[in-house]
Amino acid sequence: MQEQVLPAELNEYQRKAVFNDSSACLVNANVGSGKTTVLTAKVKYLHEACGVNCEDMVVLTFTNKAAGEIRERLGAMRDQGELVQMRYFGTFHSVALQLLRERLPVQQLGYTPDFLVMDPEEELDMALHLIQDRKLQIKYRNRLKKRLEQEDEEAVPSENGREKLPSPPGRRIQDDMPVLLQAMKEEKRARNRMTFADLIRNTEALLAEVEWRPAWVIIDEVQDCDAWQLALVRRLLDKGARLFAVGDPNQVIYSWRGSACNVFYTLRTEYQATELSLPVNYRSSASILEAASVFSQYGSSLTGNRERGSKIVVKKHYDPFQEACYLADRIKGLQDSGISPGQIAVFYRLQNQSGVLEEVFAKEGIPFQVSVKHTLRDCPVQYWLLQVLRFSLSREDYPAGIYALSHKEYGERRNGKPITEKTAAAVLHGEKDLKLPLYERMLAFPECCPSLDSPQALYDYFSLDGYLHPTSASFQKDKERILAMLESLFRQQPSEGENLPDRLRSFLNDAVLYGLPEQETKEEDGRVKLMTLHASKGLEFSFCFIIGVNYGLIPLRTAGFEEEDEERRLFFVGMTRAKDFLELSYYTNPDNRVMPGESRFIRMIPPELIQEETADPAQENLQELRKMVRQEIEARQSRAEETLEADLPELPKEPSQPQPAGKEIIQPRTVIHRKYGPGTVIREDDAMMEIEFEGYGAKEFLKAFSAMEFVEE
DNA sequence: CTTGGCGTGATTTTT
DNA sequence: TCACGCCAAG
């Protein structure tokens, strides 16, 4: 009878997890093993078979995207209505907000329940203003954001009463940072605002003050928990809530920003959690899975259920530009054979690697989409209007008022010039009485609210047409965005007794937590996705290209062994995004301070799973020779400058034919290699030499270890 | 106010 | 490995 409420396609491991009735259960979910399916089934099982109320389940994710996915799947599974009414379902932050607003005594911390959430940029602004106003001495001002975050992490609560060692005072920078932190705390209270970190911390702190507890805590991607989130979860568990958590220790790629890498261990030991695993991967072909498993450290039981598939292609390119050109060609080829660009993804280690690809793809007419983080401030009009609304809600919100009035583009103007922040501040404090229509409207907003019942009404109320400059080129676009934004404000159905200010408040909070509706939704599906390896987590594509697999880039050049583990997991995550086809590529002549030649990671993959290819050997050799000539010329020039002596041999004539030019410059030396046979040295420095072998192409050797003999001419 | 010695971080990013 | 910022000496 239990089975009736579940989809038939659950495998035995998934069933075991769903039906497990221990009070704490950790599911070690391997890549592509159906973790979301299990989580969804568990929620449904608890609700429909075990009769747990939706309100008694706290379901936590880390990203809005994950929350959306689960919500969608729950929606698809349920046949009756109320499952969608889960009040405490969403990201840690959104659930914390919900709890703080309706269950927790925020007054105890000096807040009222209608507090607003601050985004990180605003937090930084607040800090900067405080520094200025109070003349605080803060070092490393450009790194202030980082320092604020760091302080947050250091203040992590002690676990289970065990005192946390105070960090040694010697290392700490001596400045007004403690004063600033205290001032921030007070300022946030005075302005009734909480940062992202505050949402979690305050929830954690206040949970102890109330009777309420959920029956179940269900966590997705539990390996991404940071110390504060873990503390919050502990609070719930210590009150008697039961735990069901799903995650994968092989996908810990965010430990650098605080994810407590041993959550599994912690929860297992502290709550005697039952550990189960989901070993069957449904996503990748056997070859891909086998190659990837070299980079997984836990859960050797990873098995696949798919056919062998094609080998992993390893490709050598001259440099990132050549590679981009090749990729453009390759993608065109795939498109011609009927594969949608939306099924193709290119992953790289660093954001700045996308530049070349963007240029080349744009020129070649390949539809692509780069995934970049966006903040509320990316769209100035929208951000400006948010500030207008904020100040309208509370005339005490000076930062918002000043921003709204003194904005260079959309703010108030006097004598054709935008008013200064100083002027705006003076107006807000009643020290100046300029007749600023926007200011008047914002002040009158609370009384006028009842008559404002549509997006257009709000738009007209603030006479936004005037502020958006009807003559400007961006007017139409700006107006569309603003109206779309106001529409989404009115679209959210008001809960009972909610008036416009209440709805506005939750709208502002939602904008910070979930972002605003994007305007550009032009067929995202039909485009090649370009993203960092980090951003690829949680996604899957039929064709994946991981580029720049050079030592120094993947793994990224850093000191320390612990970090390299994470680089390995990152590579693992990237590889396991591929369903059918995976290609890795590296450069012989990378741009910056990356080492030439393939990464050690490539050599770790069993050779029988790999098919090695060089994109275009002829072109590569040509490039190689050109570069050699250039280097030699540069070297001679600098030597000439140093010595000022003219007895150096003449530079070769214009190298119209690179072949003879190369021979003239470098003494041809011949070597015999054990494996490759006779070859010619084409480049050499203190430690390395590059040798051209007939039939094998150019190879690089470390002088100290090369197995070869020199042949005297 | 300038200079050199020293120490540290760089890269990845969600809410 | 490099670049940047701090800090103390001149």
Side-chain angles (χ1 to χ4, degrees):
Chain A
M1 67 165 248
Q2 287 173 336
E3 271 82 345
Q4 284 170 3
V5 290
L6 295 170
E9 62 272 14
L10 286 185
N11 70 28
E12 55 173 316
Y13 303 98
Q14 294 172 327
R15 281 166 184 277
K16 239 185 221 157
V18 172
F19 296 135
N20 182 283
D21 62 352
S22 58
S23 63
C25 178
L26 284 173
V27 181
N28 198 324
N30 277 297
V31 271
S33 61
K35 119 190 119 56
T36 310
T37 306
V38 167
L39 199 131
T40 312
K42 183 77 180 190
V43 170
K44 194 175 152 81
Y45 167 71
L46 288 175
H47 178 61
E48 292 176 16
C50 307
V52 179
N53 283 330
C54 289
E55 294 214 347
D56 293 329
M57 285 191 267
V58 166
V59 181
L60 301 167
T61 67
F62 286 87
T63 64
N64 290 310
K65 202 167 165 220
E69 230 161 81
I70 295 167
R71 179 170 287 134
E72 206 170 280
R73 294 240 219 145
L74 279 173
M77 271 168 80
R78 110 203 112 89
D79 10 45
Q80 317 92 301
E82 75 284 30
L83 209 51
V84 113
Q85 276 292 330
M86 302 221 302
R87 305 188 72 73
Y88 309 116
F89 173 99
T91 61
F92 270 82
H93 294 85
S94 75
V95 170
L97 172 63
Q98 190 78 1
L99 288 170
L100 287 164
R101 291 198 52 166
E102 60 184 41
R103 293 225 107 109
L104 301 174
V106 287
Q107 311 72 248
Q108 288 188 17
L109 298 174
Y111 286 96
T112 66
D114 54 5
F115 66 88
L116 290 180
V117 182
M118 264 176 128
D119 70 294
E121 288 178 295
E122 240 182 291
E123 191 181 355
L124 186 64
D125 281 351
M126 184 185 270
L128 290 170
H129 274 121
L130 285 170
I131 292 168
Q132 202 168 36
D133 292 350
R134 310 201 183 183
K135 310 254 181 292
L136 299 177
Q137 285 297 317
I138 299 290
K139 295 170 190 170
Y140 302 104
R141 192 92 61 94
N142 48 342
R143 271 186 252 161
L144 183 58
K145 201 170 183 180
K146 201 138 239 179
R147 287 192 69 191
L148 285 171
E149 278 167 26
Q150 230 169 38
E151 297 294 332
D152 270 349
E153 277 162 37
E154 273 173 38
V156 157
S158 59
E159 33 186 280
N160 282 358
R162 206 183 319 154
E163 278 300 310
K164 203 176 165 261
L165 295 166
S167 49
R171 288 283 75 168
R172 185 154 276 146
I173 302 160
Q174 290 291 311
D175 62 5
D176 290 336
M177 201 62 191
V179 186
L180 176 64
L181 289 172
Q182 187 56 34
M184 287 283 287
K185 221 179 248 177
E186 285 158 16
E187 186 76 357
K188 286 185 284 188
R189 256 168 233 191
R191 303 213 168 283
N192 208 23
R193 320 214 43 181
M194 289 193 202
T195 61
F196 285 130
D198 292 333
L199 290 174
I200 306 294
R201 286 146 80 137
N202 294 339
T203 302
E204 192 266 339
L206 292 174
L207 274 171
E209 306 294 320
V210 293
E211 284 294 302
W212 178 85
R213 69 161 170 81
W216 281 88
V217 181
I218 294 160
I219 309 172
D220 183 34
E221 304 267 29
V222 70
Q223 80 281 355
D224 285 340
C225 260
D226 68 23
W228 279 99
Q229 289 161 330
L230 187 60
L232 195 159
V233 171
R234 276 207 191 94
R235 266 279 141 72
L236 294 171
L237 298 186
D238 291 341
K239 294 175 128 222
R242 305 173 116 202
L243 173 74
F244 184 78
V246 180
D248 181 1
N250 286 309
Q251 293 187 67
V252 175
I253 57 171
Y254 288 113
S255 68
W256 48 271
R257 65 172 191 213
S259 64
C261 34
N262 42 13
V263 247
F264 272 80
Y265 171 81
T266 309
L267 291 172
R268 188 198 309 142
T269 51
E270 277 180 47
Y271 299 95
Q272 291 78 48
T274 309
E275 263 188 297
L276 300 172
S277 75
L278 305 177
V280 187
N281 176 296
Y282 293 98
R283 180 186 297 147
S284 305
S285 73
S287 297
I288 292 169
L289 205 58
E290 201 180 324
S293 65
V294 170
F295 302 94
S296 85
Q297 294 150 304
Y298 315 91
S300 50
S301 55
L302 179 59
T303 55
N305 81 331
R306 288 195 50 190
E307 74 294 343
R308 189 113 279 270
S310 58
K311 284 189 176 181
I312 288 136
V313 174
V314 172
K315 208 147 224 158
K316 179 163 80 171
H317 296 287
Y318 179 73
D319 65 11
F321 178 73
Q322 299 292 334
E323 178 184 65
C325 295
Y326 158 80
L327 276 174
D329 263 8
R330 185 73 218 279
I331 290 165
K332 272 188 199 159
L334 288 172
Q335 252 178 303
D336 290 345
S337 56
I339 285 141
S340 158
Q343 278 300 302
I344 305 169
V346 183
F347 306 140
Y348 36 84
R349 180 59 236 261
L350 302 176
Q351 291 282 10
N352 65 15
Q353 289 176 266
S354 72
V356 206
L357 296 170
E358 286 173 65
E359 261 170 56
V360 173
F361 285 14
K363 205 156 47 193
E364 299 288 324
I366 288 168
F368 67 92
Q369 174 153 62
V370 193
S371 82
V372 274
K373 56 172 177 188
H374 55 276
T375 64
L376 282 179
R377 272 172 222 209
D378 295 345
C379 179
V381 222
Q382 289 185 331
Y383 192 73
W384 172 77
L385 185 62
L386 285 177
Q387 306 311 304
V388 171
L389 295 173
R390 246 175 69 188
F391 185 73
S392 302
L393 221 39
S394 149
R395 63 165 68 192
E396 249 80 87
D397 196 342
Y398 298 122
I402 293 168
Y403 187 97
L405 292 175
S406 68
H407 194 277
K408 298 271 175 303
E409 213 172 332
Y410 307 108
E412 286 287 10
R413 291 167 167 264
R414 302 225 337 135
N415 312 323
K417 292 229 164 222
I419 63 168
T420 63
E421 285 193 20
K422 224 171 151 186
T423 313
V427 171
L428 294 195
H429 290 97
E431 291 154 11
K432 255 189 193 160
D433 186 22
L434 313 172
K435 277 204 166 302
L436 302 175
L438 181 62
Y439 179 55
E440 317 270 308
R441 295 264 103 174
M442 292 194 292
L443 284 186
F445 181 81
E447 298 95 72
C448 300
C449 255
S451 63
L452 302 171
D453 54 0
S454 74
Q456 195 61 49
L458 261 177
Y459 188 91
D460 295 337
Y461 175 79
F462 289 113
S463 313
L464 290 179
D465 261 343
Y467 295 95
L468 300 187
H469 313 303
T471 51
S472 82
S474 55
F475 175 71
Q476 274 309 325
K477 210 169 203 173
D478 283 355
K479 184 168 181 175
E480 269 169 40
R481 287 184 181 184
I482 289 299
L483 281 173
M485 187 173 139
L486 292 174
E487 262 156 39
S488 73
L489 160 64
F490 282 93
R491 208 177 304 131
Q492 48 171 229
Q493 61 273 49
S495 40
E496 51 186 303
E498 244 192 349
N499 51 28
L500 185 56
D502 289 334
R503 293 170 69 181
L504 209 42
R505 254 184 289 276
S506 29
F507 178 74
L508 291 172
N509 283 336
D510 287 357
V512 175
L513 287 181
Y514 312 122
L516 288 163
E518 300 278 332
Q519 71 293 324
E520 49 170 353
T521 36
K522 39 182 181 179
E523 29 101 31
E524 253 179 44
D525 288 344
R527 312 210 227 171
V528 179
K529 304 293 184 298
L530 311 182
M531 65 186 87
T532 61
L533 286 166
H534 282 92
S536 75
K537 193 177 151 208
L539 305 174
E540 59 173 33
F541 299 91
S542 194
F543 292 79
C544 292
F545 297 84
I546 303 182
I547 67 169
V549 193
N550 283 62
Y551 190 59
L553 200 49
I554 297 175
L556 192 67
R557 172 88 152 255
T558 42
F561 301 100
E562 200 156 322
E563 285 155 40
E564 190 157 309
D565 276 355
E566 185 139 318
E567 293 289 308
R568 232 155 72 196
R569 293 191 292 263
L570 185 60
F571 195 52
F572 173 79
V573 166
M575 291 178 86
T576 52
R577 302 305 97 197
K579 292 197 275 191
D580 308 303
F581 177 86
L582 176 64
E583 184 168 316
L584 312 173
S585 60
Y586 64 96
Y587 321 118
T588 50
N589 289 269
D591 286 335
N592 293 326
R593 49 197 227 280
V594 177
M595 314 273 303
E598 63 186 337
S599 161
R600 226 181 42 248
F601 283 5
I602 289 181
R603 271 169 261 163
M604 284 164 69
I605 302 169
E608 66 270 20
L609 298 173
I610 286 179
Q611 183 187 333
E612 258 185 284
E613 287 173 22
T614 299
D616 186 350
Q619 197 180 29
E620 193 197 355
N621 286 341
L622 197 69
Q623 296 274 7
E624 184 65 51
L625 285 159
R626 279 198 191 126
K627 191 179 175 189
M628 258 167 47
V629 171
R630 202 168 58 233
Q631 279 177 345
E632 185 62 20
I633 289 169
E634 277 163 14
R636 272 156 196 258
Q637 275 169 351
S638 64
R639 251 179 289 157
E641 276 163 24
E642 274 170 30
T643 58
L644 285 169
E645 284 184 35
D647 62 345
L648 283 165
E650 288 274 302
L651 284 173
K653 306 275 179 278
E654 275 299 297
S656 54
Q657 290 282 323
Q659 202 65 35
K663 273 186 183 159
E664 272 175 43
I665 292 160
I666 288 176
Q667 290 292 322
R669 286 218 283 162
T670 311
V671 296
I672 309 275
H673 190 271
R674 268 188 214 152
K675 186 175 165 198
Y676 303 113
T680 314
V681 180
I682 54 173
R683 195 160 57 91
E684 186 174 4
D685 61 25
D686 291 346
M688 303 280 291
M689 58 201 304
E690 192 164 359
I691 297 160
E692 178 79 37
F693 293 103
E694 190 115 11
Y696 292 96
K699 300 272 174 192
E700 279 178 306
F701 298 96
L702 219 54
K703 275 185 177 170
F705 300 109
S706 56
M708 66 186 100
E709 290 167 25
F710 291 94
V711 177
E712 298 299 327
E713 302 270 327

